[in-house]
């Protein structure tokens, strides 16, 4: 069934560590070798052997309109003949900045980078430079990219592979990072009572998407806003996943809580490598060349990524799209709940809009500790059963599933039916 993928993987492991260029793709958590994808269209992907799958990874979020969306393809075709990179400013960067400032409530100025990791790394450097402080507060199970100080108690691939932080991160770097339980008001209060004058920033996924999907208590986010404002620290929302996914203004608009800095990625490139960070003008103007805090990137604002991202955001300005995504998300995840109930399986579903996770557990999942208690072995069995039926889920219990505009009633119904059959066989 996957002979060509297997052959490609055997070639890859000789030349690429683990045979993959991002660890979660290796499939270790679900007991498979990775499939190699040859093409994608709409809500479907085809592997190297020609097998078709309904895709709920969506390139880990950015394919919110579906694969190969015509407007995005046309924008890229129009732009690519004019060159792929200049290392100089373009009109598209200005248009993208105007679009982001218009759509994201807290952003007054923005800078483009090349990835979510670059965005969070740069935002933290800016926060440290702006406040003159060193310590950063993050939360267990939240993944903010692979910058050194952010791998402490991280989610995503770090959680999937059971890596405790990461070798190669100096102790004196890690000592400046305080990692607390997600959704814990008490731990936040105590941390600021003890370290408040040394804390430069709190960085948080306003909706955690890297320990599976975990929703915040609004009181938790309000507490973060209050303690940072009172202590002089900055509040950074990592909306690399939630930005333009849970709504046109991201999670900050959804919950009505404004951070000082916001990190973006995924969707603003329309599937191409991109990231951005932005916030209050007085903070952003501390960045070089107008200020003294340095950050740079040859490919930042790449014209192809900007063209694809602008084509995407122009469509997402239509708020009606999010009503449709909400309906699709509800249909999928409520269907999975019903399938589990009929099969006698205990699952908990966490969902917001078009993104969500299932956890094989009886108990609510509100933080990394409760996420780790879910039955990962059962998830792996479920994953393999679904893959055999042509359903492509995240190859880890610590990731999030995404629905796109391209998923229709038939594809969602087929997914639910396959889930019902798969859960009976667990």
């Amino acid at each position: 069934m996957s002979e060509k993928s297997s052959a490609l993987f055997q070639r890859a492991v000789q030349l690429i560590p683990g045979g993959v260029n991002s660890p979660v793709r290796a499939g270790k958590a679900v007991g498979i070798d990775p499939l190699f994808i040859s093409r994608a269209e709409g809500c479907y992907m085809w592997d190297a052997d020609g097998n078709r799958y309904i895709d709920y990874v969506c390139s880990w979020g950015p394919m919110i309109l579906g694969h190969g969306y015509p407007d995005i393809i046309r924008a890229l075709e129009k732009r690519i003949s004019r060159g792929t990179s200049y290392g100089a400013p373009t009109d598209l960067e200005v248009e993208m900045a105007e679009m982001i400032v218009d759509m994201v409530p807290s952003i007054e100025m923005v800078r483009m980078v090349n990835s979510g990791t670059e965005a969070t790394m740069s935002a933290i450097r800016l926060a440290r430079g702006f406040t003159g402080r060193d310590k950063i507060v993050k939360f267990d199970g939240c993944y903010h990219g692979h910058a050194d100080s952010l791998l402490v108690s991280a989610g995503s691939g770090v959680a999937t592979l059971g890596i405790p932080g990461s070798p190669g991160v100096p102790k004196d770097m890690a000592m400046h990072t305080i990692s607390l339980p997600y959704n814990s008001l008490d731990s936040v209060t105590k941390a600021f009572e003890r370290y408040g004058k040394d804390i430069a920033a709190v960085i948080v996924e306003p909706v955690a998407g890297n320990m599976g999907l975990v929703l915040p208590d609004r009181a938790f986010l309000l507490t973060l806003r209050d303690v940072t404002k009172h202590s002089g620290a900055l509040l950074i929302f990592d909306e690399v996943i939630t930005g333009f996914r849970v709504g046109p203004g991201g999670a900050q608009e959804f919950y009505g809580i404004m951070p000082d800095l916001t990190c973006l990625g995924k969707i603003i490139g329309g599937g191409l490598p991109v990231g951005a960070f932005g916030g209050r003008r007085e903070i952003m103007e501390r960045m070089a060349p107008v200020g003294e805090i340095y950050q740079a990137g040859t490919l930042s604002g790449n014209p192809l990524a900007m063209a694809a991202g602008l084509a995407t955001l122009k469509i997402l300005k239509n708020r009606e799209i999010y009503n449709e995504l909400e309906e699709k998300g509800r249909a999928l995840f409520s269907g999975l709940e019903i399938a589990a109930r009929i099969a006698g399986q205990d699952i908990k579903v966490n969902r917001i809009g078009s993104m969500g996770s299932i956890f094989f557990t009886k108990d609510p999942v509100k933080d990394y500790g409760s996420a780790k208690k879910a039955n990962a072995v059962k998830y792996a069995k479920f994953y393999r059963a679904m893959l055999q039926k042509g359903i492509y889920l995240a190859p880890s219990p610590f990731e999030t599933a995404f629905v796109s505009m391209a998923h229709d009633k038939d594809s969602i119904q087929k997914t639910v039916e396959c889930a019902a059959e798969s859960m009976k066989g667990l």
Side-chain angles (χ1 to χ4, degrees):
M1 181 178 177
S2 57
E3 291 179 4
K4 290 183 180 178
S5 283
S6 296
L8 284 167
F9 185 58
Q10 291 308 310
R11 288 168 58 191
V13 294
Q14 303 302 315
L15 303 166
I16 303 170
V20 292
N21 285 307
S22 191
V24 175
R25 299 177 192 175
K28 286 187 175 183
V30 290
I32 65 160
D33 289 339
L35 295 177
F36 282 67
I37 303 302
S38 63
R39 69 184 184 94
E41 181 180 346
C43 67
Y44 298 101
M45 296 199 307
W46 286 260
D47 67 18
D49 293 88
N51 301 306
R52 190 181 79 166
Y53 305 89
I54 301 174
D55 176 28
Y56 291 101
V57 175
C58 294
S59 192
W60 305 98
M63 314 314 295
I64 190 169
L65 300 176
H67 293 285
Y69 193 81
D71 287 11
I72 297 173
I73 299 300
R74 281 193 293 268
L76 286 169
E77 289 174 341
K78 180 180 178 181
R79 195 73 199 189
I80 198 166
S81 64
R82 300 165 68 175
T84 57
S85 178
Y86 314 134
T90 70
D91 58 330
L92 295 179
E93 296 172 71
V94 182
E95 289 183 45
M96 176 61 80
E98 289 171 341
M99 185 77 74
I100 290 172
V101 169
D102 179 55
M103 294 178 73
V104 183
S106 70
I107 294 182
E108 297 174 347
M109 299 188 82
V110 62
R111 175 161 284 181
M112 309 304 161
V113 291
N114 297 296
S115 68
T117 291
E118 279 192 41
T120 57
M121 178 182 71
S122 303
I124 284 173
R125 181 183 301 159
L126 176 56
R128 284 177 164 145
F130 182 81
T131 62
R133 303 172 181 180
D134 291 334
K135 290 193 182 295
I136 299 294
V137 173
K138 67 173 292 293
F139 295 91
D140 301 344
C142 285
Y143 179 73
H144 304 290
H146 59 87
D148 283 355
S149 61
L150 296 174
L151 286 176
V152 177
S153 299
S156 190
V158 176
T160 300
L161 300 174
I163 298 171
S166 180
V169 178
K171 289 183 180 179
D172 56 354
M173 177 69 75
M175 70 182 287
H176 291 304
T177 303
I178 303 166
S179 193
L180 306 174
Y182 194 78
N183 271 327
S184 173
L185 279 67
D186 185 56
S187 66
V188 170
T189 301
K190 288 180 179 178
F192 271 85
E193 287 174 352
R194 183 172 180 181
Y195 299 108
K197 62 182 176 59
D198 299 318
I199 295 172
V202 173
I203 185 167
V204 65
E205 292 181 271
V207 176
N210 289 289
M211 48 180 132
L213 186 132
V214 176
L215 296 168
D217 292 329
R218 189 167 184 271
F220 169 66
L221 297 180
L222 285 170
T223 297
L224 297 183
R225 179 65 283 177
D226 290 343
V227 296
T228 50
K229 187 174 291 186
H230 179 73
S231 73
L234 300 186
L235 178 60
I236 304 172
F237 273 9
D238 179 349
E239 296 224 44
V240 168
I241 292 178
T242 55
F244 308 105
R245 167 60 74 170
V246 300
Q252 58 193 259
E253 181 183 58
F254 186 91
Y255 289 104
I257 298 169
M258 298 301 109
D260 299 299
L261 293 171
T262 299
C263 301
L264 299 170
K266 308 288 188 187
I267 287 171
I268 68 167
L272 275 69
V274 74
F277 64 102
R280 297 197 335 250
R281 182 176 298 273
E282 64 173 310
I283 302 172
M284 293 300 296
E285 285 186 336
R286 294 287 296 275
M287 297 296 301
V290 66
E292 73 284 10
I293 301 167
Y294 196 74
Q295 177 276 332
T298 299
L299 295 175
S300 296
N302 176 269
L304 297 185
M306 295 295 97
L310 278 168
T312 303
L313 294 188
K314 286 175 182 177
I315 294 165
L316 295 180
K317 288 193 76 172
N318 177 6
R319 290 179 176 267
E320 290 301 313
I321 285 175
Y322 292 95
N323 294 331
E324 187 172 340
L325 286 167
E326 166 69 23
E327 292 175 7
K328 293 174 188 284
R330 185 188 302 114
L332 174 66
F333 288 102
S334 64
L336 294 176
E337 281 186 301
I338 293 169
R341 194 179 308 130
I342 292 171
Q345 297 291 338
D346 292 317
I347 70 166
K348 290 294 179 184
V349 171
N350 286 352
R351 178 185 72 87
I352 180 170
S354 60
M355 53 188 287
S357 294
I358 63 169
F359 298 91
F360 284 90
T361 180
K362 294 180 180 179
D363 303 318
V365 178
K366 298 188 67 177
D367 56 22
Y368 189 34
S370 51
K372 288 193 294 184
K373 290 179 181 176
N375 193 324
V377 173
K378 190 167 282 190
Y379 179 88
K381 292 179 179 177
F382 176 68
Y383 174 90
R384 294 193 297 269
M386 292 290 276
L387 193 66
Q388 289 178 352
K389 293 176 171 58
I391 312 297
Y392 191 82
L393 303 173
S396 165
F398 296 110
E399 298 288 355
T400 296
F402 300 93
V403 180
S404 75
M405 286 293 290
H407 289 90
D408 57 15
K409 289 183 179 179
D410 290 342
S411 60
I412 291 172
Q413 182 60 35
K414 179 182 176 181
T415 303
V416 172
E417 291 171 357
C418 290
E421 294 174 13
S422 299
M423 288 184 183
K424 287 177 184 176
L426 292 182

